[in-house]
């Protein structure tokens, strides 16, 4: 069964540095998403992406964050000038966009900001 | 805005016990409802879904019925196994919005099944 893959599984970064989290969505999917889960808290929506542009973003997704689909397979989340509170598990997801087809999630990247 | 509330865990059970995890939602539209499961060290996996009122989703012995009148989507399993130990997330998406809309999650319920 096709799956969403995320790299790296764990990223440790110094505060103030930039980090790029990578995702390879399922190949025939059209919608891509990033979510995050701070330890012990809810899974929160960050952003959705379709047709090479952001379709929706949450209030968490401020100017510190950006997303990109640099080629036909990768989908990246860039976090600039990282802060301690950016430490979380980041999940990528994709869907075919039928509206009822569920989103398929990757295993997540654990981001630790020191 | 939309929200999902589920019972807090951890829930500790013995093998073969009956499991219920309560989930209620608030939504302005007509959401689709989901249960996702997260096994230790893994990502979120879809467990089951229901897209309209009175639909019953089922998978791996788990069931949940979309109850519009009580805005609930409680997860049940009649006889749990140690392998069911995981964190369970209730979630919704607003099916009336354009395709590709976000998921809103509950806080997750950790379930521990002891042999």
């Amino acid at each position: 069964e096709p799956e969403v893959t995320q790299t790296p599984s764990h990223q440790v970064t110094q505060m103030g540095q930039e980090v790029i989290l990578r995702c390879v969505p399922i190949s025939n999917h059209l919608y891509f998403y990033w979510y995050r889960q701070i330890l012990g808290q809810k899974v929160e929506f960050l952003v959705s992406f379709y047709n090479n542009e952001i379709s929706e973003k949450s209030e968490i997704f401020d100017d510190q964050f950006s997303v990109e689909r640099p080629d036909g397979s990768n989908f990246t989340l860039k976090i600039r000038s990282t802060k301690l509170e950016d430490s979380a598990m980041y999940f990528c997801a994709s869907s075919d966009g039928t509206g009822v087809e569920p989103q398929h999630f990757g295993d997540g990247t654990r981001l630790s900001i020191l | 805005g939309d929200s999902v509330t589920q019972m807090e865990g951890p829930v500790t059970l013995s093998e073969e016990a009956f499991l219920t995890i309560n989930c209620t939602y608030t939504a302005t539209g007509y959401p689709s409802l989901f249960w996702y499961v997260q096994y230790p060290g893994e990502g979120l996996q879809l467990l089951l879904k229901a897209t309209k009122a009175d639909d019953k989703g089922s998978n791996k012995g788990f069931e949940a019925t979309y109850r519009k009148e009580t805005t609930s989507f409680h997860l049940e399993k009649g006889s749990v196994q140690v392998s069911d130990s995981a964190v369970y997330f209730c979630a919704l998406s607003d099916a009336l919005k354009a395709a590709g809309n976000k998921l809103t999650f509950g806080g997750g319920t950790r379930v521990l099944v002891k042999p």
Side-chain angles (χ1 to χ4, degrees):
Chain A
E1 184 178 330
E3 57 183 29
V4 176
T5 56
Q6 291 185 242
T7 55
S9 56
H10 190 191
Q11 174 79 46
V12 181
T13 302
Q14 291 290 326
M15 186 172 58
Q17 297 297 306
E18 176 182 285
V19 64
I20 297 177
L21 310 183
R22 303 180 190 279
C23 170
V24 179
I26 294 173
S27 61
N28 65 336
H29 283 183
L30 302 176
Y31 288 83
F32 315 115
Y33 314 82
W34 284 101
Y35 294 82
R36 80 172 184 190
Q37 183 183 29
I38 295 173
L39 186 64
Q41 298 186 22
K42 289 187 177 186
V43 177
E44 301 171 291
F45 168 77
L46 292 179
V47 65
S48 59
F49 191 86
Y50 170 73
N51 200 26
N52 282 320
E53 61 182 27
I54 291 173
S55 52
E56 186 176 2
K57 61 181 181 178
S58 72
E59 57 189 29
I60 302 169
F61 194 88
D62 59 20
D63 291 344
Q64 186 192 4
F65 295 87
S66 61
V67 289
E68 189 179 26
R69 189 155 164 81
D71 53 43
S73 59
N74 289 283
F75 178 53
T76 62
L77 173 69
K78 181 188 290 186
I79 309 175
R80 288 178 285 274
S81 191
T82 50
K83 299 174 283 194
L84 293 176
E85 53 264 39
D86 295 327
S87 296
M89 181 72 87
Y90 289 81
F91 291 106
C92 174
S94 69
S95 70
D96 66 3
T98 59
V100 294
E101 174 63 21
Q103 296 176 22
H104 295 258
F105 284 78
D107 285 346
T109 293
R110 180 167 299 283
L111 177 63
S112 299
I113 307 299
L114 303 180
Chain B
D2 296 347
S3 67
V4 177
T5 302
Q6 60 182 108
M7 60 188 288
E8 292 189 18
V11 175
T12 303
L13 303 164
S14 297
E15 215 167 15
E16 299 183 2
F18 185 86
L19 170 68
T20 298
I21 305 176
N22 290 339
C23 171
T24 58
Y25 67 88
T26 302
T28 53
Y30 298 89
S32 293
L33 301 174
F34 306 86
W35 277 100
Y36 280 82
V37 59
Q38 186 178 30
Y39 298 105
E42 299 184 15
L44 297 165
Q45 300 176 24
L46 178 71
L47 182 59
L48 53 84
K49 67 176 183 179
T51 58
K52 61 183 188 296
D54 300 325
D55 267 3
K56 178 186 283 189
S58 61
N59 186 25
K60 298 181 181 180
F62 289 89
E63 292 183 341
T65 300
Y66 189 142
R67 300 287 188 199
K68 189 169 183 292
E69 63 276 13
T70 54
T71 62
S72 65
F73 192 55
H74 304 323
L75 182 69
E76 296 181 337
K77 185 173 185 181
S79 177
V80 293
Q81 305 300 312
V82 172
S83 57
D84 294 324
S85 297
V87 181
Y88 293 82
F89 292 92
C90 186
L92 68 81
S93 70
D94 189 344
L96 278 188
K97 291 184 178 178
N101 54 79
K102 65 182 181 186
L103 286 169
T104 299
F105 284 88
T109 302
R110 182 175 300 278
V111 173
L112 176 61
V113 181
K114 295 187 174 181

